[in-house]
Amino acid sequence: MATTSAHIVLDNVPAPVPFRWIRADGKVLLFNTSRSADVQLDEQSFGAVRFRVDPDPGVAAERRAAAVTLTSATSTWTIAIPVLSLSKLEEIRLPEGEYRLALAVPGWEAVYRSALRVRRLVPVQLGHLAMTRMPRITGRVIDAARKEAVAQATVLSPEGVALATTDAGGGFVVEGLSEIPLFLTVTSSDRAPAAVALRRTDFMDIDVGDILLEAGGSLHLHLARKCPAPCTTTLSLMRPVELDPRPNRWETIRTVSLPAEADVAFEHLESGRYVIVLRGAGPLEQRIVEAEVKNAKSESLAIDLEPTALRGFVTSAGERVARATLRFTTNERIWNGQVMTDEHGEYATERWQNGSLRVTVQPPGETERYTLERSLSEADTEWQLTLPAARITGRVIEKESGTPVAGARVFDEVSAERFHSAGHFVTTDDDGRYAFAMARTGRHVIHIESDSHQDAPPVTLQIAGDEPVQDVDFALSRGNATFIRVVDKAERAIAEAFIVDRLPPDGYPNRSGITTDATGAATLPLSEGEKRRIWIVAPDGRFTVATLDAADRTSREEPRLLVIEAPTASLRFRVTRNGKAAAAANILIQRDGLVIPPGVLEMIAFQQRASAITDDRGVAVLPQMPSGSYIVAAYRGLDQFIDIRAHRLEPETRRATVAGGIVEFNLEEPGDSR
């Protein structure tokens, strides 16, 4: 490799700045510098990322610009390049490190590759990066009362970015997106906003139909706050984002600053549930007031704010805990306040919120936190916080050699009074050791996962009090590494695909799972003679199933190729019960003789921006499904699924050989099985 020279002028730049150098031969060099000087770059100290993009003729015809972004822990480089030149950009040289690559062209689905480990003189081969056109989104906005078109309404993304404006006929077109949003929101100055979910119903454009805007309701608030001196209260009106499948998502409608006594009004609000969040200067000078808004109605609320003292101390094993961090909240997504204990383990503050309150305690030097809950009235001014002294510790070693297993994930599934947690885990250190501090009184099930070793049977223990230490050691057998590579039919790598295995009877994964790397590769440890079924779900919701055999000879150089087929059909389910639309019904799918487990089907639907649970119309759509022989049924809840699997319940089924297009299934939800 050659040495590249560049003259770079910087003015008062204290930290290294990312630079890109596009050479005459089309290769790109990325580096950092903080000097004004002639920079000599030895290309032999660089690594490289190689890939190939063959733009669809439709992309090239539009003459749009592509953006290639590479991000490391310390730097971000973005290369703007005409789409027509993408086929010439075959190699990017950059310093050693771990990177994430993003390729974006407006109107085409963005391509991502993560965990690119770049090493000197060892190119990372990404192969062909496929680009898929994104559908246009169309619709029409109508005044709900007058049944007239609404012109100049704004169509917003979930992040509040304006995507389109309606024309004189109320119509709009959204195009040029790099990914399909979960929903759109339509706003107009004299009407309440309305949101519409986006679900792909086929592989063409998406028409959301008519969106009705109502006049909305209003909310009138009177605030009275007792404070010794002039004070300011921040008031925010918030509402839950119902169309976001992620739990506990909230949108801030408006925020205002108010004096001690004031009136404020909110007009043209969409019908539904709201919260008023009030904040002062102190960490617990925060309060939530709930409100319900109805269309064409006006709601008035009087809010009185009067502080209540709250003090206490934190103890563990009878000793005060100094400098502990206390985080109070009722809902972390809406508000939280933080205080610390002093050198005597005591804390004191003022609060506005009554009712159920949750506090998370983190002692100094601990990475773990302990959560307590209590319902407080105005008369409650003290809350003593007691932390359990029990700890669960252990060491994980390899059974054959006795050497420590670093990086294993140790899970603690806790069942205690009014508390259950299944997802809490820690990672073993270089010596194979782990620890769970502040272990609750109750039942604990400890299980372990390792990417290079077989699973060990879980260990169950009961903690009855403040036993100082419970030791739980594991000896893991070395796994027979089975190497796989997930690709499409053209053998293009599918990165960041989810691998789900060892499903329990309820069909929901209880393991953290493995994902494929940037080259589509992954490694699974199998025991001697083991055969294991795995489900693979791509980031766009395509999927496949395979059975791995420990007897198969695989290696990093010659992995087993697992092909995910391209989707060919859209499946539409309409579910009724006693002749009426059945909302919130589950869909059960058997394809080519294998039932898709409910947890896997939920993952497939989520990645497709869809749902395997019916909406208010009793309809569910899975827009990107492969060909095959399908048997489908409807059911409701986990109990019915288990009964169907145990043949205690026989639901009505529908069969179809799916080869393409839109296939509709009309289903009847079964009655109660117990």
Side-chain angles (χ1 to χ4, degrees):
M1 291 187 182
T3 299
T4 298
S5 298
H7 184 70
I8 298 170
V9 179
L10 300 174
D11 185 18
N12 297 323
V13 179
V17 175
F19 272 84
R20 62 182 184 272
W21 180 264
I22 303 178
R23 302 189 332 188
D25 60 4
K27 291 185 170 56
V28 178
L29 208 62
L30 305 178
F31 58 96
N32 291 297
T33 185
S34 57
R35 305 184 284 118
S36 297
D38 290 320
V39 178
Q40 298 289 328
L41 299 172
D42 181 5
E43 295 183 37
Q44 290 192 357
S45 65
F46 281 57
V49 175
R50 292 178 180 169
F51 57 88
R52 183 168 54 86
V53 180
D54 292 329
D56 182 284
V59 189
E62 295 174 9
R63 298 185 177 277
R64 294 180 175 177
V68 181
T69 302
L70 281 149
T71 305
S72 70
T74 58
S75 302
T76 297
W77 293 273
T78 297
I79 306 160
I81 185 170
V83 170
L84 287 170
S85 301
L86 275 174
S87 59
K88 301 176 183 178
L89 180 62
E90 297 180 350
E91 181 179 284
I92 298 177
R93 296 178 184 173
L94 64 171
E96 290 188 320
E98 184 167 311
Y99 294 85
R100 183 176 191 264
L101 179 143
L103 170 61
V105 178
W108 298 79
E109 191 166 7
V111 177
Y112 300 99
R113 295 292 184 268
S114 297
L116 305 180
R117 295 177 177 86
V118 175
R119 299 291 179 262
R120 186 170 65 90
L121 301 178
V122 182
V124 177
Q125 304 283 359
L126 296 183
H128 182 274
L129 301 183
M131 298 180 66
T132 306
R133 175 183 282 281
M134 300 300 291
R136 298 191 317 162
I137 305 169
T138 58
R140 186 166 175 256
V141 181
I142 304 294
D143 184 288
R146 297 194 294 267
K147 308 302 181 185
E148 298 174 349
V150 179
Q152 297 301 306
T154 304
V155 182
L156 303 173
S157 72
E159 297 75 29
V161 177
L163 301 176
T165 302
T166 57
D167 57 24
F172 67 86
V173 177
V174 176
E175 56 186 346
L177 299 176
S178 295
E179 59 183 3
I180 296 296
L182 295 169
F183 59 92
L184 297 177
T185 301
V186 180
T187 63
S188 179
S189 58
D190 55 352
R191 298 171 180 86
V196 57
L198 295 179
R199 294 183 179 179
R200 294 190 193 179
T201 56
D202 52 36
F203 306 108
M204 307 303 290
D205 294 338
I206 300 173
D207 185 2
V208 298
D210 290 346
I211 301 173
L212 303 181
L213 294 188
E214 297 179 328
S218 60
L219 189 59
H220 296 263
L221 308 175
H222 177 76
L223 173 68
R225 175 182 172 187
K226 293 183 179 180
C227 42
C231 56
T232 299
T233 303
T234 301
L235 184 151
S236 297
L237 182 67
M238 304 177 69
R239 66 167 299 169
V241 184
E242 303 288 356
L243 295 180
D244 194 325
R246 297 168 296 181
N248 199 20
R249 298 287 167 167
W250 293 78
E251 172 192 9
T252 300
I253 306 300
R254 184 178 156 201
T255 298
V256 295
S257 294
L258 302 173
E261 187 158 353
D263 292 286
V264 62
F266 299 92
E267 306 290 346
H268 302 300
L269 297 176
E270 190 177 1
S271 300
R273 181 168 65 99
Y274 291 80
V275 295
I276 300 108
V277 184
L278 303 121
R279 296 182 177 89
L284 266 63
E285 288 183 340
Q286 306 193 61
R287 183 178 168 190
I288 294 176
V289 178
E290 296 189 356
E292 186 77 21
V293 173
K294 297 181 180 179
N295 186 51
K297 301 288 185 181
S298 179
E299 179 78 14
S300 297
L301 290 176
I303 302 174
D304 296 319
L305 292 179
E306 185 171 359
T308 301
L310 182 65
R311 66 184 72 246
F313 49 80
V314 178
T315 60
S316 178
E319 300 290 332
R320 299 280 184 96
V321 181
R323 306 301 178 193
T325 301
L326 315 181
R327 189 180 180 97
F328 292 85
T329 188
T330 54
N331 186 325
E332 281 282 355
R333 292 283 183 183
I334 300 176
W335 76 271
N336 64 74
Q338 186 170 293
V339 299
M340 291 187 67
T341 58
D342 60 19
E343 62 271 18
H344 305 295
E346 299 178 355
Y347 72 93
T349 187
E350 290 186 336
R351 64 178 173 88
W352 289 351
Q353 187 77 43
N354 292 322
S356 180
L357 204 62
R358 183 169 67 251
V359 59
T360 301
V361 184
Q362 183 175 11
E366 291 283 0
T367 58
E368 294 186 64
R369 302 171 177 86
Y370 188 78
T371 301
L372 302 100
E373 294 188 26
R374 181 182 171 186
S375 182
L376 298 177
S377 68
E378 291 184 10
D380 293 319
T381 59
E382 293 189 356
W383 190 1
Q384 319 303 349
L385 307 173
T386 303
L387 307 180
R391 296 171 62 89
I392 301 173
T393 64
R395 189 165 185 252
V396 183
I397 62 171
E398 186 176 272
K399 182 182 293 185
E400 293 82 0
S401 65
T403 57
V405 177
R409 298 173 294 280
V410 186
F411 289 79
D412 180 16
E413 182 177 349
V414 185
S415 297
E417 184 180 0
R418 294 185 300 173
F419 182 87
H420 180 81
S421 172
H424 180 44
F425 74 93
V426 295
T427 303
T428 56
D429 61 19
D430 291 342
D431 195 38
R433 299 188 182 279
Y434 73 92
F436 293 103
M438 300 175 287
R440 293 177 181 271
T441 298
R443 179 175 176 266
H444 294 252
V445 179
I446 312 298
H447 67 95
I448 189 165
E449 296 177 8
S450 170
D451 293 341
S452 55
H453 292 75
Q454 301 172 35
D455 290 353
V459 174
T460 301
L461 62 147
Q462 191 76 26
I463 293 182
D466 283 348
E467 299 96 333
V469 176
Q470 293 276 348
D471 286 319
V472 181
D473 296 332
F474 290 90
L476 304 183
S477 296
R478 189 184 300 115
N480 290 328
T482 299
F483 298 90
I484 65 171
R485 186 165 178 260
V486 181
V487 296
D488 62 14
K489 275 196 168 183
E491 295 195 7
R492 294 175 293 202
I494 298 179
E496 300 181 29
F498 300 95
I499 299 174
V500 183
D501 66 341
R502 294 185 177 175
L503 287 163
D506 63 8
Y508 283 86
N510 58 7
R511 294 164 52 85
S512 60
I514 299 170
T515 57
T516 58
D517 65 15
T519 65
T523 306
L524 288 86
L526 273 64
S527 58
E528 191 70 33
E530 182 185 1
K531 293 183 179 180
R532 186 187 306 176
R533 178 178 296 162
I534 63 172
W535 292 86
I536 303 170
V537 182
D540 59 3
R542 292 177 293 165
F543 69 95
T544 191
V545 61
T547 299
L548 304 183
D549 191 334
D552 292 341
R553 299 300 178 190
T554 62
S555 65
R556 293 189 188 277
E557 294 72 27
E558 296 184 4
R560 178 178 171 186
L561 287 185
L562 301 180
V563 178
I564 292 186
E565 297 179 18
T568 61
S570 176
L571 306 187
R572 181 182 177 90
F573 308 90
R574 187 179 298 276
V575 182
T576 57
R577 184 171 187 180
N578 299 325
K580 297 181 180 179
N586 303 87
I587 304 299
L588 181 65
I589 297 178
Q590 176 179 298
R591 175 180 175 264
D592 293 343
L594 290 178
V595 171
I596 303 177
V600 175
L601 187 60
E602 283 188 13
M603 186 181 297
I604 291 168
F606 180 81
Q607 298 302 115
Q608 294 184 15
R609 300 289 192 267
S611 176
I613 299 175
T614 58
D615 59 18
D616 292 341
R617 302 168 299 160
V619 173
V621 176
L622 293 173
Q624 301 183 77
M625 300 296 284
S627 301
S629 177
Y630 284 82
I631 302 176
V632 302
Y635 69 98
R636 185 172 296 273
L638 179 59
D639 288 343
Q640 282 199 351
F641 173 76
I642 293 175
D643 285 349
I644 291 171
R645 297 290 284 170
H647 303 289
R648 291 190 293 266
L649 177 65
E650 296 293 337
E652 178 183 274
T653 60
R654 293 288 183 268
R655 299 168 181 262
T657 299
V658 174
I662 300 174
V663 182
E664 297 199 5
F665 297 92
N666 293 313
L667 302 169
E668 179 72 16
E669 181 188 325
D672 295 333
S673 58
R674 302 188 180 189

